[in-house]
Amino acid sequence: MATGQLFSKTTQALFYNYKQLPIQRMLDFDFLCGRETPSVAGIINPGSDGFQKLFFGQEEIAIPVYPTIEAASNAHPTADVFINFASFRSAAASSMSALKQPTIRVVAIIAEGVPESDAKQLISYARANNKVIIGPATVGGIQAGAFKIGDTAGTIDNIIQCKLYRPGSVGFVSKSGGMSNEMYNTIARVTDGIYEGIAIGGDVFPGSTLSDHILRFNNIPQVKMMVVLGELGGKDEYSLVEALKQGKVQKPVVAWVSGTCARLFKSEVQFGHAGAKSGGELESAQAKNQALKEAGAIVPTSYEALESAIKETFDKLLEEGKISPVTEITPPLIPEDLKTAIKSGKVRAPTHIISTISDDRGEEPCYAGVPMSTIIEKGYGVGDVISLLWFKRSLPRYCTQFIEICIMLCADHGPCVSGAHNSIVTARAGKDLVSSLVSGLLTIGPRFGGAIDDAARYFKDACDRGLTPYEFVEGMKKKGIRVPGIGHRIKSRDNRDKRVQLLQKYAHTHFPSVKYMEYAVQVETYTLSKANNLVLNVDGAIGSLFLDLLSGSGMFTKQEIDEIVEIGYLNGLFVLARSIGLIGHTFDQKRLKQPLYRHPWEDVLYTK
């Protein structure tokens, strides 16, 4: 066991099992104390590496992350404190690994419930190799104005109130982490504050004892008096009694063992910590307090009188000139996190994204205000989900079924069309699914699958303005614009597109109005008089029928309909549908293990 000071203003630690809040609290304490370097040198997250971004004052810093304890220790040979936030299941193994590193001097084990047999092995190894264990089941420790472990002393506000940003004259040791925070506050009220504070942990077998740390404090010149807070159960306090009797401690010790109320209970009571259970009269709080008092410690009559006892002891040392008054300093202001400041109403900040279609903040995601459970329980289909996420409302069943029919009819059109061809070539080049899919999607545009919006836009404008098919088609011709939704490379008057016929049949059966589709058919009649292949294609059918769906449902204003067409909703339907086919072609090529595609020479016209 170390015989003097454990920490200093240059101490650095390795933090095991990344936890953002305790690390940030350590760094905030560093800044508060005026440290030049962060106290956390590296983070160990098994299986991970890279960096974690945190704040050191106002500066954002990157702390390296290592996959193993060995790698972190080798990279930071001056980091001699190991702070272990592993669970009780793995705390022993990781702590032993840390103890075996030649650079590690102190190991703090935060976890409760470490098996007692494992704790004994750790203690034995540490004592044999002159290393220090704080814990298990500890919040850690602190040297005022220099270094702190994890969540020790709590929030920055509490640290400032307890004057822990600068050293005092009191050495404090306790079993309880929670009571340590309370005592830091008590000691700061009646003395010049803490020099070093340690919570050894509440398990039955602590890695270091109360007396271990009192003997250390006795060897630290800056520590002028000690305060000990024990508890019923175990016999740890008696090692301190022996040290006092043997004259190993020359400085005043104010001590109190909590748990005196245990005698009020008829049966044995467990007080929080695993070790806080009296195993007989010798382990009672009253017996320990009496033994400490007889050994020379200053023991008050009750916990309530502990503060007065500390004050009297400190004032006496001050009068004797053994303690010099501490010059108070004003600690720097820790920048408040934006999230915290917003929550407290101190600042306001603009959001970066607006979302009106979904919300994942509650117990379950919602689509346009409809909970996921409702969507499943009511048997909603893909069309219903599209109506919620695209149109922000629940459309009638005939509308959502029409959407699903469009998706099914447009999912694929064979391997020869440009989109499928691109996906096939990309897949055969050994590229992944996303690359193959995107390769096919990038061909969608005015000449392939991307004419639905334009068809809807032009058909709507012409119909709403009352143009005859002749006026519409010839007007487009004068502008040099082909009529979107009209014409097909294969289909003709005598070989109609079955997909168009199915859509028209469904609309006639279910739609309250098919005004725009009828106008599109009239336009087709006129264009067929010019050429046999100028038929209404699937783009034109979907575009005109979607106009009928939007206007006939009575759920959209004219402005909303114009916006839907302008934004590109209808092309989105083709993109969604055709993605199914493109993914299918990609899987098909990979399943068939097709080789790299090379276009045949005989299919290329080489010319000057």
Side-chain angles (χ1 to χ4, degrees):
M1 177 71 188
T3 56
Q5 193 163 303
L6 290 182
F7 313 118
S8 72
K9 211 164 186 173
T10 58
T11 297
Q12 284 195 299
L14 298 177
F15 195 103
Y16 188 89
N17 197 17
Y18 175 69
K19 305 287 182 187
Q20 191 269 339
L21 183 58
I23 297 178
Q24 188 58 66
R25 282 181 168 177
M26 288 179 67
L27 298 176
D28 286 345
F29 179 74
D30 295 343
F31 182 74
L32 200 68
C33 298
R35 282 183 58 126
E36 294 182 0
T37 56
S39 60
V40 180
I43 299 165
I44 302 154
N45 228 22
S48 303
D49 57 13
F51 293 88
Q52 284 288 350
K53 295 193 301 179
L54 294 122
F55 284 99
F56 187 60
Q58 285 188 317
E59 180 186 359
E60 195 169 24
I61 60 173
I63 297 180
V65 178
Y66 301 94
T68 65
I69 295 170
E70 292 77 11
S73 298
N74 291 335
H76 304 280
T78 59
D80 58 2
V81 177
F82 183 83
I83 301 172
N84 195 345
F85 265 76
S87 71
F88 71 90
R89 298 177 185 85
S90 60
S94 50
S95 295
M96 182 61 80
S97 177
L99 286 170
K100 290 180 177 179
Q101 302 303 312
T103 55
I104 298 298
R105 186 173 49 84
V106 179
V107 172
I109 306 171
I110 309 301
E112 294 184 43
V114 175
E116 292 180 4
S117 59
D118 291 338
K120 288 179 181 179
Q121 288 181 8
L122 291 170
I123 294 167
S124 175
Y125 185 90
R127 292 193 180 278
N129 290 273
N130 196 33
K131 300 199 176 189
V132 178
I133 295 177
I134 302 173
T138 181
V139 71
I142 186 169
Q143 183 173 324
F147 177 84
K148 90 179 185 90
I149 294 171
D151 290 316
T152 302
T155 65
I156 287 296
D157 289 341
N158 189 63
I159 287 170
I160 293 173
Q161 188 173 348
C162 297
K163 303 175 184 177
L164 293 168
Y165 51 84
R166 54 97 175 126
S169 304
V170 181
F172 171 76
V173 63
S174 167
K175 287 187 175 181
S176 169
M179 286 304 297
S180 293
N181 288 350
E182 179 65 29
M183 287 303 299
Y184 293 150
N185 202 312
T186 299
I187 291 169
R189 284 199 301 268
V190 295
T191 74
D192 60 4
I194 290 289
Y195 183 81
E196 185 183 321
I198 298 289
I200 65 170
D203 278 3
V204 176
F205 297 101
S208 52
T209 65
L210 297 173
S211 60
D212 287 335
H213 293 287
I214 289 296
L215 291 172
R216 275 198 315 104
F217 295 159
N218 191 67
N219 295 329
I220 300 174
Q222 296 92 329
V223 174
K224 306 301 182 182
M225 62 175 285
M226 284 90 88
V227 176
V228 181
L229 184 64
E231 63 186 23
L232 84 164
K235 299 178 180 179
D236 188 19
E237 288 80 1
Y238 288 104
S239 62
L240 176 56
V241 169
E242 289 304 311
L244 288 166
K245 285 181 177 180
Q246 294 170 15
K248 293 181 179 179
V249 183
Q250 290 80 41
K251 299 174 184 178
V253 176
V254 180
W256 177 254
V257 179
S258 60
T260 53
C261 65
R263 287 184 175 177
L264 300 175
F265 297 93
K266 293 180 180 180
S267 59
E268 188 176 71
V269 177
Q270 177 82 44
F271 284 83
H273 295 149
K277 182 170 67 173
S278 178
E281 177 59 28
L282 195 64
E283 295 184 15
S284 69
Q286 284 85 348
K288 291 182 180 183
N289 280 325
Q290 184 62 33
L292 285 165
K293 185 174 183 179
E294 292 174 357
I298 302 162
V299 180
T301 55
S302 66
Y303 177 78
E304 288 74 14
L306 180 60
E307 182 173 334
S308 297
I310 296 170
K311 183 179 188 308
E312 289 171 10
T313 304
F314 178 81
D315 288 346
K316 183 179 178 182
L317 291 170
L318 200 61
E319 289 173 11
E320 294 172 351
K322 294 180 180 179
I323 295 178
S324 301
V326 173
T327 303
E328 286 297 339
I329 60 173
T330 302
L333 186 66
I334 299 291
E336 193 169 12
D337 289 340
L338 182 60
K339 187 183 293 185
T340 305
I342 292 173
K343 191 174 181 179
S344 64
K346 293 180 180 178
V347 299
R348 58 188 182 190
T351 54
H352 300 291
I353 293 175
I354 302 174
S355 177
T356 64
I357 64 169
S358 62
D359 191 337
D360 59 344
R361 294 172 298 177
E363 293 183 1
E364 58 179 324
C366 292
Y367 294 167
V370 180
M372 189 66 67
S373 56
T374 301
I375 293 171
I376 301 301
E377 289 165 3
K378 291 192 174 182
Y380 283 11
V382 172
D384 297 288
V385 172
I386 291 173
S387 77
L388 291 172
L389 291 177
W390 290 18
F391 301 105
K392 295 170 55 178
R393 64 204 76 188
S394 291
L395 295 174
R397 183 56 189 149
Y398 79 86
C399 296
T400 59
Q401 192 171 358
F402 176 76
I403 291 172
E404 291 171 4
I405 291 171
C406 290
I407 291 173
M408 289 187 285
L409 294 180
C410 295
D412 192 51
H413 202 202
C416 298
V417 295
S418 58
H421 181 80
N422 266 24
S423 288
I424 289 169
V425 171
T426 306
R428 289 178 61 168
K431 300 290 284 185
D432 59 276
L433 171 62
V434 174
S435 300
S436 303
L437 171 61
V438 170
S439 177
L441 290 176
L442 287 173
T443 64
I444 296 176
R447 297 183 181 180
F448 171 64
I452 301 177
D453 282 318
D454 283 342
R457 189 177 298 113
Y458 284 113
F459 282 148
K460 183 177 187 303
D461 178 70
C463 182
D464 289 350
R465 289 198 292 137
L467 298 179
T468 64
Y470 168 82
E471 292 171 331
F472 171 51
V473 174
E474 296 304 322
M476 295 286 282
K477 184 178 179 180
K478 287 180 181 179
K479 296 175 185 177
I481 303 174
R482 294 182 179 181
V483 179
I486 295 291
H488 204 283
R489 292 178 64 85
I490 298 173
K491 301 300 179 181
S492 62
R493 183 199 308 268
D494 304 317
N495 180 27
R496 295 299 180 100
D497 192 331
K498 188 68 175 177
R499 297 175 299 174
V500 173
Q501 293 175 332
L502 289 169
L503 290 168
Q504 290 174 329
K505 181 180 179 181
Y506 181 86
H508 276 299
T509 305
H510 297 93
F511 282 23
S513 168
V514 288
K515 178 180 71 171
Y516 291 106
M517 186 191 74
E518 289 176 347
Y519 183 79
V521 170
Q522 293 173 18
V523 171
E524 178 194 45
T525 302
Y526 178 75
T527 55
L528 282 174
S529 68
K530 291 177 168 291
N532 203 37
N533 70 329
L534 294 181
V535 293
L536 182 67
N537 58 35
V538 72
D539 291 350
I542 293 176
S544 59
L545 286 172
F546 238 103
L547 291 172
D548 287 324
L549 181 152
L550 295 171
S551 59
S553 68
M555 300 184 71
F556 300 90
T557 65
K558 181 181 182 304
Q559 182 180 357
E560 286 177 323
I561 295 172
D562 290 339
E563 186 179 56
I564 287 169
V565 173
E566 184 63 32
I567 288 175
Y569 275 54
L570 309 188
N571 280 350
L573 197 63
F574 183 84
V575 170
L576 175 63
R578 190 51 56 96
S579 293
I580 299 171
L582 298 179
I583 291 172
H585 284 295
T586 299
F587 289 155
D588 190 41
Q589 296 303 305
K590 291 185 177 295
R591 183 172 54 246
L592 295 171
K593 297 179 174 59
Q594 289 297 286
L596 179 68
Y597 176 82
R598 180 181 172 87
H599 204 71
W601 289 341
E602 56 270 21
D603 197 35
V604 177
L605 174 62
Y606 294 93
T607 180
K608 294 181 179 180

